[in-house]
Amino acid sequence: MKNKLNEITNKTVVVVGGNGNMGTMVSEYIDGLEGYDVIGIIDPNNSGTKFNSLSISDDIICDYIFEFSPSSVVNDNIPKLIDNKSKLIIGSSGVNNDSLELLKNANKAVSVIPNFSIGAAIQKLYSQKLTSIFPNVHIVEKHHKGKEDAPSGTSKDFASSLENVQPSEISGDYYAVSNENSLNIYSLRSDEYLAEQEVVFSKNHEEFILEHKVFDRKAYLSGVQLVLQEMEQQDSYIHGLENLLNKSMDI
């Protein structure tokens, strides 16, 4: 339980998309952390929650804003959030290149975190090392049916982070097949998955596969806490949980 005597010094947080699956979980989690208070959520479907309902057009005063809106609205929200003085954490999928450029030039503390999973960050760090040995790469990303975008924002960001790669192709019945940074991304949508990603490296007559699976959204909460801790000292733009994690790991 929080020490109410210290509430005056607590960091304040607003969560955009706070009534979605991730937004709801993150709001409850942060509000339960020592030293933090969620003072409101922005969501058109906000009803029946304990948090104040705010609007994206309100004059919001807080320390941090988390953005978890769906891909259909996140790019419309970003210019409005940049104008706010709060430190900004973008956890939404589907952020386009124009929005990324705005965020990079925002002259404030901004973290763009396509995936809050520690395991996904480690998968990316190791993959960046492996491409010099296994240059042929493709990605298979698997998500639940409710995920709107394909390929996922995580897989697009992942593909963009790899250098000196050659595309490899596979056959099969996929929800979508895309190409990003010369890599083929194969998307599957089924309720038998929550979030999974295979990165398949090949060379000559062998394959090397890095596979990451999330079985419960609670897997993302360690990453949320890491971002909050690092944002205390941050005053500029950073992209990817791996760039925060890499400070404490020698990969």
Side-chain angles (χ1 to χ4, degrees):
M1 181 177 292
K2 293 182 179 181
N3 183 350
K4 296 297 181 181
L5 294 176
N6 293 330
E7 279 195 350
I8 193 169
T9 62
N10 282 359
K11 298 293 185 181
T12 53
V13 180
V14 168
V15 180
V16 187
N19 208 39
N21 289 326
M22 272 295 292
T24 298
M25 181 181 68
V26 169
S27 298
E28 293 286 351
Y29 176 71
I30 294 175
D31 198 56
L33 287 176
E34 188 72 35
Y36 296 92
D37 284 319
V38 175
I39 61 170
I41 67 173
I42 299 172
D43 196 304
N45 299 315
N46 184 23
S47 62
T49 71
K50 68 179 183 181
F51 301 113
N52 293 327
S53 182
L54 304 173
S55 168
I56 195 78
S57 59
D58 288 341
D59 184 17
I60 299 168
I61 299 174
C62 64
D63 294 298
Y64 304 102
I65 295 178
F66 272 81
E67 167 59 283
F68 284 111
S69 294
S71 57
S72 56
V73 297
V74 62
N75 294 295
D76 292 332
N77 288 347
I78 283 174
K80 302 168 187 174
L81 297 175
I82 287 174
D83 289 339
N84 190 283
K85 294 181 180 180
S86 307
K87 294 186 176 185
L88 186 56
I89 301 158
I90 306 294
S92 301
S93 185
V95 179
N96 63 32
N97 290 333
D98 289 341
S99 292
L100 286 175
E101 284 302 312
L102 288 175
L103 292 164
K104 288 176 185 177
N105 296 294
N107 294 318
K108 60 186 279 185
V110 175
S111 286
V112 177
I113 311 294
N115 195 315
F116 284 89
S117 163
I118 300 292
I122 293 172
Q123 185 187 47
K124 183 187 283 190
L125 289 171
Y126 276 109
S127 294
Q128 290 169 347
K129 300 291 186 181
L130 284 169
T131 54
S132 62
I133 304 169
F134 294 92
N136 303 311
V137 185
H138 69 264
I139 295 171
V140 180
E141 59 96 357
K142 310 171 187 179
H143 284 83
H144 56 90
K145 285 184 177 179
K147 186 165 182 60
E148 294 181 356
D149 52 322
S152 66
T154 295
S155 63
K156 289 175 65 177
D157 173 71
F158 196 102
S160 297
S161 74
L162 301 182
E163 298 179 350
N164 303 316
V165 295
Q166 300 293 325
S168 62
E169 297 183 1
I170 57 175
S171 59
D173 186 15
Y174 291 94
Y175 176 78
V177 179
S178 316
N179 187 277
E180 186 80 21
N181 190 29
S182 298
L183 268 71
N184 290 324
I185 302 174
Y186 300 88
S187 301
L188 290 170
R189 296 291 179 267
S190 170
D191 286 336
E192 66 180 282
Y193 314 119
L194 179 56
E196 302 182 14
Q197 180 168 273
E198 295 177 2
V199 187
V200 183
F201 303 85
S202 60
K203 180 181 180 181
N204 299 330
H205 304 291
E206 60 179 329
E207 278 188 346
F208 190 95
I209 301 174
L210 287 180
E211 184 177 26
H212 176 250
K213 297 182 179 182
V214 170
F215 303 112
D216 191 300
R217 288 184 175 88
K218 292 178 182 177
Y220 303 120
L221 296 178
S222 295
V224 169
Q225 186 171 16
L226 174 63
V227 172
L228 279 173
Q229 291 169 349
E230 293 296 331
M231 287 289 280
E232 291 275 354
Q233 306 301 322
Q234 186 178 328
D235 59 5
S236 58
Y237 176 87
I238 193 165
H239 189 113
L241 187 66
E242 69 280 359
N243 289 311
L244 298 177
L245 192 63
N246 205 22
K247 295 179 181 180
S248 58
M249 296 183 66
D250 184 17
I251 295 179

